[in-house]
Amino acid sequence: MELAWNISTSDIPFMDMNPDGSLSAVVDWERVYLYLVRPDSKSAAFDVRGEDPVKPVIAGVIVKGGRAYVIASYADFAGVRVYS
């Protein structure tokens, strides 16, 4: 077994995984990033904050159908953003 990814956070991060294990998602509180990881070690990182002037308040992350749905309250928007 090889380490494919590692995230250090001060609190317990939000995480979810497809039931078949094909995609995992984790939110890094400190940097406000969403990490998507596949078993083949392919990964992607997304800045959840984007262009917003303030950090969003993230309520959760759900992985379904190869996409990650982030539920949050952003500067001018509250709802779901989809990442893949």
Side-chain angles (χ1 to χ4, degrees):
M1 179 186 228
E2 294 180 26
L3 178 65
W5 58 283
N6 179 45
I7 298 172
S8 298
T9 61
S10 60
D11 293 320
I12 298 171
F14 282 122
M15 292 191 248
D16 195 26
M17 179 185 290
N18 264 348
D20 64 1
S22 63
L23 180 66
S24 297
V26 64
V27 175
D28 179 348
W29 291 107
E30 294 173 16
R31 295 180 57 206
V32 194
Y33 269 64
L34 170 70
Y35 295 92
L36 299 179
V37 181
R38 296 192 181 278
D40 61 3
S41 299
K42 291 183 180 178
S43 62
F46 297 95
D47 182 356
V48 176
R49 184 177 191 169
E51 301 295 320
D52 294 338
V54 296
K55 283 185 178 182
V57 177
I58 299 172
V61 61
I62 300 165
V63 176
K64 183 167 177 132
R67 295 182 178 177
Y69 298 82
V70 177
I71 304 160
S73 175
Y74 303 89
D76 294 325
F77 169 77
V80 177
R81 287 188 176 164
V82 181
Y83 299 87
S84 62

